[in-house]
Amino acid sequence: MGEREAYPAGVPCWVETLQRDPRASLDFYGPLFGWEFVGPAPMPGQLPGEYFVARVQGRDVAGLGSLPDLGGPPVPSWNTYIRVDYVEEAVERAGAAGAGLLVGPLDALPAGRLAVLVDPVGAVVCLWEPRGREGAQLINEPGTWAMSAGTPPTATAPRPSTVRCSAGSRRRSVRPRRR
């Protein structure tokens, strides 16, 4: 079984989707993957909106929250978080390597601390320093996260992303629809 209690630094540990209408998304993803939800809780860092945790078999598997207004067009997305020991140190190293800081570092208490970066070619990467939540507690099982993939944006297209969750006995690719 894919139960996890901890993740070493450098390993993807959490996925979330940020949506304009998170409650409508509950109605979509809940039946699709057999998710039950805990919440809402406030968004991290005093961002407006609400955040839900998806569960399978009573174990945390993904997050679903309000899409924050960061000044650009609101584009619903799936985000993958990479486990780090210390967010501030990771942000500093990434900045020295040419990354830009989009969000944070900020607290998502009591679960942990996060930052969202953009690499030199435009791909987004999220960092997670755990406190109360290491990451997904169940992976690679029906209805849970199995892999993430993304491509950097081009001059004419937004960044597509894929988060694969197992639905029943088959894996399905979930891609945000372009509008």
Side-chain angles (χ1 to χ4, degrees):
M1 188 171 254
E3 291 185 15
R4 296 295 302 252
E5 297 299 325
Y7 292 84
V11 172
C13 63
W14 187 249
V15 292
E16 70 181 7
T17 183
L18 300 178
Q19 302 283 333
R20 284 176 247 174
D21 185 350
R23 290 189 183 253
S25 296
L26 298 176
D27 294 337
F28 175 76
Y29 288 107
L32 180 64
F33 295 125
W35 288 352
E36 295 179 357
F37 295 93
V38 177
M43 288 290 289
Q46 300 180 353
L47 292 169
E50 51 193 4
Y51 195 87
F52 298 85
V53 174
R55 300 185 114 196
V56 170
Q57 300 172 18
R59 312 277 289 169
D60 298 349
V61 297
L64 194 154
S66 299
L67 182 64
D69 181 4
L70 300 176
V75 178
S77 63
W78 274 96
N79 303 309
T80 301
Y81 285 81
I82 308 299
R83 163 69 158 81
V84 297
D85 290 326
Y86 302 100
V87 166
E88 280 80 2
E89 288 178 11
V91 166
E92 194 173 305
R93 285 192 314 272
L101 181 63
L102 294 178
V103 175
L106 56 88
D107 288 325
L109 297 176
R113 200 157 164 69
L114 67 93
V116 180
L117 306 172
V118 60
D119 77 10
V121 296
V124 173
V125 61
C126 303
L127 306 176
W128 183 250
E129 176 187 329
R131 301 235 171 111
R133 176 179 292 119
E134 275 285 327
Q137 297 172 331
L138 186 63
I139 59 173
N140 299 321
E141 295 289 332
T144 69
W145 169 43
M147 76 165 268
S148 298
T151 56
T154 65
T156 60
R159 178 182 69 94
S161 63
T162 301
V163 172
R164 293 186 191 267
C165 291
S166 178
S169 61
R170 294 186 1 216
R171 289 191 180 148
R172 295 183 185 174
S173 177
V174 178
R175 290 183 182 261
R177 291 195 320 225
R178 290 188 184 161
R179 295 185 182 206

